[in-house]
Amino acid sequence: MSGSNAWTRSRERMRLFPELFAQCAGEAATYGRCVAATTTGRQELRKDMCAKEFEALKTCFSNAAKRKAK
Amino acid sequence: MSSGVCLRVLRAAGSPPAASSGSWSRVRLPADPRHAARRALSASGRGGTMNVFNRDMKKKQKEWAASLRDGHQFDYLRDEVGGRVADRVYDIVRTFPLALDIGGGKSHIAGHLSKDVVERLFLTDVSERTLKQSRRSEIPTHRVLADEEFLPFKENTFDLVVSSLSLHWINDLPGALRQIQQVLKPDGVFIGAMVGGETLYELRCSLQLAETEREGGFSPHVSPYTAVTDLGNLLGQAGFSMLTVDVDDVQVNYPGIIEVMTDLQGMGESNCAWNRKSLLHRDTILAAEAIYKEMYGNEDGSIPATFEILYMIGWKPHESQAKPAKRGSANVSFGDLSKISQPTDTNTS
């Protein structure tokens, strides 16, 4: 498939992912630790158990993307 | 003998094909997706084999991977495993007049072999484009477009069958191993390498945890693998003797989860199981990357991906092979162990 379509555009966006992620290493580590803690703890991992940490990560990520787009 | 691309399958004059499922039309790769369902129905007659993978999709993925302009950068894993399989071929001090490489792709094994070890090679793969890109080696090679589950060769043809990193996409693995055993000559050997067991467990766990936390449930993204313990049974049931199975871990470090998935795609190893979910949410990818880095990351920030490669060697039975001794043929007893004295030093000084 040549030319610009949904797949090429989304692939282009995904290419920026590692760079943007690198700017949010702190939030990512916090979220990762929260989830990793549930694997060793007695409670099973459920939906949104680490929602707060994830929101922080996602906000950081979106801001990084907005800065990149500027 | 010059190498040529045989796009139509070899037809042995008048002899039945090795595939036990019947007519020749099976051997030509089916173009329409209904064939995949029919294959499952006919296979179920052979004792409930599973239809786990969409073989048509796997062919399309391999064709796509072969069409990439810089596809050779993804060959590192296959080259490494191909080299180790070639090592095992060299361990057997024999010359093999006729060899078969199943799912050989761009021919990663033959490059490490020499003409004294293998005199003629047949290279098969489901993907035509991959075959067209196969590397030239000094061994005369015939390239055949064939599905691993429907080998178009006569029985008792090959002295050596090798397979590197393609058996893990086969639906009916017992059947395929049986066909390999059939196309081998007596006292022929099968040397295979397949990913198994704990391969990509980091990726699997990260995605599983991320999906559970973000979406409330998870679906399998990494295909199911054969365990080492099952491999011995599979080979035994297929009729191989003198089995050897060993495990090797290849760990590759990547910058991030996106690179892991891109490389797997580039290798043609994308998931093609019927039960795969066809999309990953952006949030899930973000969460999985964070979890992967935190749980499995190295000090330098890279993440490891483990490929557990199972190597198997099996021989087709032959009278010349050593057999277990008959019951009752013992001529020493365990009770005599106590009577064994220390070896005396015959050199008197």
Side-chain angles (χ1 to χ4, degrees), chain B residues 37-56:
Chain B
R38 250 187 277 159
R39 194 179 291 169
L41 287 176
S42 73
S44 62
R46 268 179 291 174
T49 52
M50 300 187 290
N51 184 14
V52 181
F53 303 113
N54 183 348
R55 296 288 294 171
D56 202 43

Side-chain angles (χ1 to χ4, degrees), chain B residues 69-331:
Chain B
R69 229 167 302 146
D70 49 359
H72 55 270
Q73 63 174 308
F74 302 114
D75 287 341
Y76 50 88
L77 184 66
R78 286 190 203 275
D79 284 337
E80 175 64 29
V81 178
R84 296 186 190 189
V85 173
D87 277 347
R88 284 161 172 79
V89 176
Y90 274 118
D91 282 345
I92 302 172
V93 187
R94 254 173 76 172
T95 305
F96 300 99
L98 196 58
L100 170 65
D101 188 349
I102 296 182
K106 297 187 196 160
S107 185
H108 303 268
I109 304 179
H112 301 267
L113 295 174
S114 72
K115 246 176 121 161
D116 336 306
V117 183
V118 171
E119 286 171 20
R120 257 174 80 193
L121 178 68
F122 275 80
L123 182 70
T124 69
D125 202 82
V126 283
S127 155
E128 192 180 322
R129 223 174 271 174
T130 322
L131 279 179
K132 285 202 172 124
Q133 289 187 9
S134 63
R135 311 197 186 129
R136 297 285 181 275
S137 75
E138 57 175 22
I139 304 170
T141 310
H142 298 268
R143 289 170 280 171
V144 179
L145 187 65
D147 192 325
E148 292 96 332
E149 300 190 55
F150 298 92
L151 293 178
F153 302 107
K154 247 187 349 187
E155 291 194 19
N156 302 325
T157 319
F158 294 102
D159 304 274
L160 168 70
V161 175
V162 289
S163 170
S164 170
L165 302 186
S166 78
L167 296 172
H168 57 283
W169 292 117
I170 294 184
N171 278 316
D172 181 16
L173 191 53
L177 290 174
R178 227 170 285 130
Q179 286 184 44
I180 294 175
Q181 200 260 14
Q182 281 168 352
V183 297
L184 270 176
K185 285 194 189 133
D187 210 27
V189 61
F190 164 57
I191 303 180
M194 68 185 281
V195 290
E198 293 303 305
T199 302
L200 294 172
Y201 73 90
E202 302 101 339
L203 182 66
R204 183 165 31 96
C205 292
S206 309
L207 284 171
Q208 185 175 322
L209 290 170
E211 272 190 311
T212 310
E213 202 276 324
R214 285 286 92 216
E215 298 172 37
F218 67 93
S219 78
H221 287 277
V222 179
S223 68
Y225 295 119
T226 313
V228 195
T229 44
D230 296 333
L231 212 48
N233 288 335
L234 281 171
L235 288 169
Q237 274 171 17
F240 289 104
S241 65
M242 302 204 299
L243 308 174
T244 311
V245 177
D246 66 288
V247 185
D248 217 350
D249 271 352
V250 178
Q251 201 183 69
V252 186
N253 291 326
Y254 293 93
I257 201 174
I258 299 291
E259 285 82 356
V260 177
M261 297 197 278
T262 316
D263 271 24
L264 289 172
Q265 254 188 335
M267 285 185 223
E269 294 295 307
S270 315
N271 194 3
C272 69
W274 288 108
N275 64 358
R276 73 188 184 281
K277 201 166 127 191
S278 45
L279 64 97
L280 265 181
H281 293 288
R282 272 176 283 187
D283 286 0
T284 308
I285 298 180
L286 184 56
E289 166 86 290
I291 295 171
Y292 204 146
K293 281 225 154 79
E294 176 56 34
M295 283 182 71
Y296 305 107
N298 301 321
E299 288 88 37
D300 62 355
S302 64
I303 53 175
T306 307
F307 296 91
E308 192 175 308
I309 317 282
L310 315 177
Y311 297 92
M312 64 200 104
I313 303 180
W315 295 78
K316 183 151 178 180
H318 188 254
E319 311 84 51
S320 68
Q321 292 168 1
K323 294 239 178 348
K326 276 187 69 161
R327 277 175 156 265
S329 63
N331 46 19

Side-chain angles (χ1 to χ4, degrees), chain A residues 11 13-14 17-18 21 28-29 31-33 35-36 39 45-51 54-55 57-58 61, chain B residues 64 208-210 212-216 257-259 265 282-291 293-295:
Chain A
R11 259 189 224 132
R13 255 179 277 134
M14 287 315 287
F17 184 97
F21 186 85
Y31 175 74
R33 268 193 298 271
V35 175
T39 60
L45 181 63
R46 277 192 322 274
K47 184 168 174 0
D48 289 332
M49 257 181 113
C50 299
F54 184 75
E55 279 315 309
L57 173 59
K58 191 159 173 195
F61 193 81
Chain B
W64 178 86
Q208 185 175 322
L209 290 170
T212 310
E213 202 276 324
R214 285 286 92 216
E215 298 172 37
I257 201 174
I258 299 291
E259 285 82 356
Q265 254 188 335
R282 272 176 283 187
D283 286 0
T284 308
I285 298 180
L286 184 56
E289 166 86 290
I291 295 171
K293 281 225 154 79
E294 176 56 34
M295 283 182 71

